[in-house]
Amino acid sequence: MVRRVMRPRVGQTATVQLSLDGMPEAIKVTKRATGEPLVSIELSEEGDIIVSVYHQVPTRDRIALLLEFSYHPEQPSVLIHQYMDRYAEAERSLFANSWVGSAEPSKPFTDLTDSDMVIAGPGFKITMDHVRAFCHNIGDCVWDSIPDPATGKVRVPLDYVHMSLTPDTLCVLGPSNIGGGQLEVVHTNYHFRLLDGAEPLYVGDTVATEVMAGQLTNTSKGRVFVSDCKVYCNGRQIGVVQSTCLGLGHSFEPARMVKRVDNERITVVLATFEEAQELGLKEWFTYRHGSSVRASAGSVIEFHLDSVYRYKTDSVYSSVKTTGTATLITDTEGRS
């Protein structure tokens, strides 16, 4: 990464700063015409290596992503280690300043030491200035700020909401979840999913979040940590952001491991009357109070399930809890 960002380019100046004994202390790359900083590598008084990559935001001054490393000659196989907790904080700050447009300080670092812990975000109100700044930052000239004729409100680009949720999602990337400070953490996936029937977001809406551990499991390569960030608009859930990290060479204690599977859909066809009757006798299946509809031969059951798996060992469950709803489809009465 350092070789790539330090590669000579036309119109740039590289300056090497030496100590009194002639050893290099810093390398800085700037724009030749303006002197604006682009990237720098410095050695701190504590002996840490600090890499600063500067980013130009059209609506404000240049901001920097700070990457901090330590040098360990006693470990020749991995000489340079990265401070992952500091990296997570720096990445959150970069997103907050360059994408969100709210100029709010980065969120405090929180470690999910309990697999059932839920962190509620303070929420924010979407303003026209925030959305306009975001679209300007990413060069979006297509966004239309004309109010929707049906509602009289201005729609918000979905990418704005997606990026605005990043600080909440990253605030849980703690050492107990992703491992220590070595360069052994892989961010494998970042996914935003809207729920069925979710309404569009408009300027003036209030967005809030709840973050918890969606998965803490061990694999042959290391620990897998998935954070689930539930997204609410004006108090109603509209989507989920999932962030997946792989901590190489680290593992969870089995008692802490958990896996949550939400909104799993399973369809079952009841071919005979006996199968329909047997379903009604199951202790885990109860018809809705006051409903006269019952399953019969030819009925189709659509299950919408939420499950929580807990572990005794890496591959053996200690418990499985499943809850949800079932929609009955009959040949004559439709859905119920």
Side-chain angles (χ1 to χ4, degrees):
M1 184 273 292
V2 173
R3 291 178 180 176
R4 178 176 59 82
V5 298
M6 299 298 293
R7 184 174 66 248
R9 293 176 173 85
V10 176
Q12 296 182 359
T13 299
T15 304
V16 179
Q17 180 180 332
L18 302 179
S19 63
L20 295 177
D21 56 2
M23 298 296 293
E25 286 185 335
I27 302 175
K28 298 182 180 181
V29 178
T30 59
K31 282 188 177 181
R32 183 180 303 172
T34 63
E36 295 177 356
L38 298 174
V39 63
S40 67
I41 301 178
E42 302 178 69
L43 187 65
S44 70
E45 295 182 356
E46 294 76 17
D48 294 333
I49 303 170
I50 302 176
V51 179
S52 303
V53 181
Y54 294 88
H55 175 60
Q56 177 64 57
V57 180
T59 56
R60 61 188 68 184
D61 296 332
R62 302 179 71 83
I63 58 177
L65 172 63
L66 301 180
L67 308 177
E68 300 183 63
F69 306 86
S70 58
Y71 181 68
H72 296 263
E74 73 280 3
Q75 300 183 26
S77 60
V78 186
L79 289 172
I80 298 178
H81 297 195
Q82 185 176 12
Y83 294 107
M84 292 309 301
D85 53 344
R86 302 181 190 177
Y87 171 70
E89 179 65 31
E91 191 173 81
R92 288 197 305 275
S93 178
L94 179 69
F95 270 101
N97 286 304
S98 60
W99 296 114
V100 179
S102 61
E104 296 176 356
S106 58
K107 297 183 180 300
F109 191 82
T110 304
D111 204 356
L112 283 176
T113 54
D114 184 349
S115 58
D116 292 324
M117 182 177 177
V118 178
I119 302 175
F124 62 94
K125 187 174 183 178
I126 303 174
T127 69
M128 183 71 79
D129 289 340
H130 292 170
V131 179
R132 186 179 292 112
F134 169 79
C135 293
H136 184 58
N137 288 349
I138 66 174
D140 183 2
C141 302
V142 181
W143 175 66
D144 193 350
S145 60
I146 299 176
D148 186 338
T151 63
K153 301 179 180 180
V154 177
R155 285 200 179 191
V156 175
L158 192 58
D159 284 344
Y160 166 78
V161 181
H162 185 186
M163 291 299 181
S164 299
L165 298 172
T166 302
D168 282 4
T169 304
L170 295 179
C171 77
V172 296
L173 296 184
S176 69
N177 295 321
I178 61 177
Q182 297 187 10
L183 295 174
E184 295 181 340
V185 176
V186 180
H187 198 182
T188 61
N189 186 35
Y190 187 76
H191 176 66
F192 181 28
R193 174 176 59 87
L194 285 176
L195 299 183
D196 293 342
E199 297 291 334
L201 278 77
Y202 298 95
V203 171
D205 287 345
T206 299
V207 177
T209 60
E210 287 183 351
V211 184
M212 68 184 308
Q215 181 176 335
L216 302 171
T217 56
N218 294 328
T219 67
S220 59
K221 294 183 178 180
R223 62 175 65 171
V224 174
F225 169 56
V226 179
S227 65
D228 285 348
C229 177
K230 294 183 178 180
V231 186
Y232 297 87
C233 178
N234 301 328
R236 180 180 179 183
Q237 186 179 357
I238 62 169
V240 177
V241 177
Q242 282 193 332
S243 178
T244 303
C245 289
L246 174 63
L248 304 178
H250 302 279
S251 60
F252 292 113
E253 292 294 331
R256 190 176 174 224
M257 292 166 57
V258 66
K259 182 172 69 174
R260 293 181 171 86
V261 180
D262 295 333
N263 199 30
E264 184 178 17
R265 301 186 182 186
I266 300 176
T267 301
V268 177
V269 179
L270 304 177
T272 64
F273 174 78
E274 287 75 15
E275 291 181 355
Q277 189 177 35
E278 183 178 354
L279 176 65
L281 297 176
K282 298 293 185 181
E283 61 179 10
W284 47 263
F285 185 87
T286 305
Y287 285 103
R288 186 174 56 194
H289 179 71
S291 174
S292 60
V293 178
R294 294 293 183 268
S296 60
S299 296
V300 177
I301 306 291
E302 289 183 350
F303 291 94
H304 295 250
L305 307 176
D306 298 331
S307 301
V308 179
Y309 300 82
R310 300 192 184 277
Y311 292 78
K312 184 177 181 179
T313 66
D314 288 353
S315 57
V316 178
Y317 298 133
S318 62
S319 67
V320 178
K321 181 180 179 180
T322 299
T323 59
T325 61
T327 302
L328 175 62
I329 304 176
T330 63
D331 293 336
T332 58
E333 299 187 44
R335 292 177 176 267
S336 62

